[in-house]
Amino acid sequence: MTFRGMATVSYYAADHAAARDWYTRVTGVEPYFLRDGYAEWRLGDRQAELGLVDARYRAPGTPTGAVGAVLYWHVDDIEAELTRLLEFGAILHDKPQDRGQGFITATVLDPFGNLLGIMYNPHYLEML
């Protein structure tokens, strides 16, 4: 197999400084890598990388808003995490959905228009 695992997911924000502060508060982790227009955090059990890119570096023609693929971050309690994200100013996009066999998903829009997925994923826990 050529795909060995997710390396980095990138979100874009026109107000990069505000988005960097928001994600630092939401994750409870300081970015480990900073440069002009870019911040990166290592998060969770596998230290997955979340990159935040200033929107001025978005490739021309890239769609904006709630479009494209959704990356779901595993959380232990969907309702609690959803409530927490909404308290931080996220907007509900798709309420919690039971997908069967213990899989539950929900999505929000962060205050910068990015689609952020959360999921209770039994397979993730088995892999740990």
Side-chain angles (χ1 to χ4, degrees):
M1 172 142 219
T2 57
F3 293 130
R4 304 242 353 244
M6 192 221 40
T8 304
V9 59
S10 294
Y11 298 139
Y12 291 88
D15 188 342
H16 188 258
R20 185 182 63 234
D21 292 344
W22 192 83
Y23 274 97
T24 297
R25 287 192 323 270
V26 164
T27 64
V29 175
E30 291 289 330
Y32 80 95
F33 182 77
L34 292 169
R35 66 185 313 181
D36 181 45
Y38 186 75
E40 191 168 275
W41 294 258
R42 288 187 177 145
L43 303 172
D45 302 305
R46 304 248 188 235
Q47 295 292 282
E49 292 180 353
L50 166 62
L52 180 65
V53 185
D54 191 306
R56 70 180 185 241
Y57 298 117
R58 186 187 306 267
T62 302
T64 60
V67 297
V70 179
L71 181 116
Y72 288 92
W73 296 88
H74 173 81
V75 297
D76 292 326
D77 184 331
I78 286 281
E79 292 293 339
E81 186 61 21
L82 181 58
T83 297
R84 197 176 77 81
L85 289 169
L86 296 175
E87 288 171 353
F88 274 106
I91 299 167
L92 181 64
H93 177 264
D94 190 24
K95 67 182 180 177
Q97 302 287 324
D98 186 335
R99 306 295 183 180
Q101 298 180 334
F103 294 86
I104 303 169
T105 64
T107 55
V108 298
L109 291 170
D110 73 12
F112 314 96
N114 296 295
L115 196 54
L116 178 62
I118 57 173
M119 170 185 241
Y120 181 82
N121 182 331
H123 177 71
Y124 178 88
L125 296 174
E126 289 171 12
M127 296 302 294
L128 287 180

